[in-house]
Amino acid sequence: ILMVDRGGCTFVQKVRNAQRSGAAGVVIADNTCLCKDADCVSANKDGSCQTAEPIMADDGSGTDITIPTFLMYKRDADAAKKVMKEDTIVQIEMAWSLPSPDDRVEYDLWTVPTEAVSRAFLKEFVNVASHLGDRAYFTPHMFIYDGMKSGCQGRDGNNMCYSLCTNNGRYCATDPDNNLDKGISGADVVNESLRRICIWKHYGEADGIGIEWWDYVNQFGIRCDSPDFFTNDDCIRDAYKHAKVDDRVIDQCIRDSGGTEKDSSNTFLDTELDAQVQRGVVILPTAFVNTAALRGALTVSNIFAAICAGYLTGTEPDICNTCETCADKSGCAQTGKCEGGGSSGSKVSFKTYIFSLVMVAGVLGGLGFLYYRRSQEEMREQVRGILAEYMPLEDQEGDGSDINPAMEFARKNMNTQIS
């Protein structure tokens, strides 16, 4: 295991260099203290600190990396390096596991309405959420930017980021089509994000399932996810209708939270900004299971496996046990049944096992018996041939008989068992 200091290049490049050098794993020693670690900050000469650990995410070029990598807190890394500098062996175990506190898993997803990867995931995962039921509590989060910290509200109080922000520069999002003059704007994304937050508040927050929220997101994706209809009221109302969402309730929720028109705070959007900082979310989409951030592709199989791993041992719901050994875990998770692909490690009943053993033993016994009979016949033929060729022939003229004694002897012993 190779320990390297953070900095100098990206995490991906650093780990790639270590892998090419033959490292079986990499521990990256952080070079900045956490602000909540007062002892570390006080020991640091410049007093600098970070509010949260950085997320080691793939920058898009890490598909060739196959070794595990961990980021170690500066406090812990400094202690390990101190011991190593004394020429003492340090033993480190690299292990990863999800917190498993009880019989219910909590999972979160951070995304935005225009993010393509999560759009496909949400379309497929709705059935999984339904099958998990109240054994898993889901919370969707909308990623927005703090316009005040980004300087989008100038000193004169004007919106300096124009169509990227709402509330006079307070809440912003990137422009999905990179065109500030037309198409979907950042402000449109913020408005749709607030709408989805309100739908979850009224249809999903109570039980953590929120089928209406899932249905609205998917209906919106089918009907309104284009520059021409993204902000179209009729299209949005149609998505409400098909998802069985009361548009009056959602409109009132948006107004009560503070809306997006005035130069004032929105309680729901402020809550999302605070949660975003606490979780340290910087990459989209990002999923959490029991507060642990998941790395890798956002797929039904990956998230479902992580959720099932998050239960206290012995408390997993039936769907986790059903799909654990299924070859098509994604299909099994969506339907609740293992179909069409068999099982990659399915269990065989005792009766089937015994019957199979009997059948195999019978076939092998039959083949052995046939082989035995055939070998006996071949041996008898060989003996008859030897006797006919080498036994002396007696003169038969005296008694007038035409019987050959040698051949008669061979015929009499045709059924003799030869061992």
Side-chain angles (χ1 to χ4, degrees), residues 222-233:
I222 294 171
R223 303 170 188 281
C224 312
D225 193 16
S226 67
D228 294 331
F229 295 99
F230 195 87
T231 59
N232 185 283
D233 286 337

Side-chain angles (χ1 to χ4, degrees), residues 117-140:
V117 175
S118 58
R119 186 187 307 147
F121 168 79
L122 292 169
K123 183 178 179 180
E124 297 179 352
F125 203 79
V126 56
N127 292 328
V128 182
S130 178
H131 287 302
L132 288 169
D134 60 2
R135 299 296 307 280
Y137 188 95
F138 174 61
T139 303

Side-chain angles (χ1 to χ4, degrees), residues 19-307:
Q19 179 174 291
R20 290 175 177 173
S21 300
V26 178
V27 175
I28 297 179
D30 200 356
N31 55 9
T32 307
C33 298
L34 288 175
C35 293
K36 62 183 180 181
D37 190 345
D39 293 338
C40 181
V41 175
S42 62
N44 196 12
K45 294 181 180 179
D46 58 5
S48 61
C49 65
Q50 58 191 1
T51 57
E53 280 292 300
I55 295 177
M56 291 196 302
D58 188 354
D59 61 4
S61 65
T63 55
D64 60 324
I65 294 176
T66 58
I67 61 175
T69 306
F70 284 73
L71 181 68
M72 183 178 288
Y73 291 134
K74 187 177 188 303
R75 168 195 281 268
D76 299 328
D78 288 347
K81 288 190 286 186
K82 181 180 179 180
V83 175
M84 285 188 286
K85 288 179 180 179
E86 296 174 354
D87 199 22
T88 302
I89 296 176
V90 176
Q91 183 175 355
I92 295 178
E93 178 185 3
M94 304 182 73
W96 181 88
S97 62
L98 282 172
S100 305
D102 50 35
D103 61 353
R104 191 183 79 161
V105 168
E106 297 178 359
Y107 64 110
D108 304 27
L109 176 64
W110 286 85
T111 183
V112 291
T114 54
E115 204 278 311
V117 175
S118 58
R119 186 187 307 147
F121 168 79
L122 292 169
K123 183 178 179 180
E124 297 179 352
F125 203 79
V126 56
N127 292 328
V128 182
S130 178
H131 287 302
L132 288 169
D134 60 2
R135 299 296 307 280
Y137 188 95
F138 174 61
T139 303
H141 291 282
M142 297 294 116
F143 187 94
I144 57 175
Y145 291 92
D146 189 335
M148 303 294 286
K149 292 183 178 179
S150 301
C152 286
Q153 189 176 79
R155 294 181 179 179
D156 56 359
N158 292 325
N159 181 5
M160 305 300 293
C161 295
Y162 307 105
S163 63
L164 294 179
C165 306
T166 64
N167 301 75
N168 200 32
R170 290 176 180 269
Y171 311 106
C172 309
T174 57
D175 191 307
D177 45 26
N178 296 317
N179 191 327
L180 298 178
D181 297 323
K182 61 180 181 179
I184 303 171
S185 67
D188 295 336
V189 175
V190 174
N191 281 312
E192 178 59 26
S193 297
L194 179 59
R195 183 177 295 111
R196 297 186 181 190
I197 292 171
C198 276
I199 293 174
W200 181 257
K201 290 288 183 183
H202 285 273
Y203 291 94
E205 193 172 57
D207 61 6
I209 303 173
I211 295 301
E212 292 86 355
W213 182 90
W214 294 88
D215 288 344
Y216 169 78
V217 170
N218 289 321
Q219 288 295 330
F220 183 91
I222 294 171
R223 303 170 188 281
C224 312
D225 193 16
S226 67
D228 294 331
F229 295 99
F230 195 87
T231 59
N232 185 283
D233 286 337
D234 292 335
C235 187
I236 294 171
R237 304 294 171 190
D238 193 37
Y240 281 152
K241 179 180 177 181
H242 284 83
K244 298 180 180 179
V245 172
D246 190 335
D247 58 343
R248 295 169 298 179
V249 172
I250 304 307
D251 291 344
Q252 186 62 47
C253 172
I254 293 174
R255 290 192 295 268
D256 292 344
S257 66
T260 57
E261 300 297 330
K262 299 179 181 179
D263 183 8
S264 59
S265 298
N266 184 288
T267 55
F268 292 159
L269 296 180
D270 281 340
T271 300
E272 292 297 278
L273 289 175
D274 291 340
Q276 174 185 319
V277 172
Q278 292 175 5
R279 287 292 179 87
V281 179
V282 294
I283 301 294
L284 294 181
T286 296
F288 291 83
V289 174
N290 287 349
T291 71
L294 304 183
R295 302 288 173 248
L298 183 70
T299 63
V300 172
S301 296
N302 289 347
I303 302 302
F304 176 71
I307 291 173

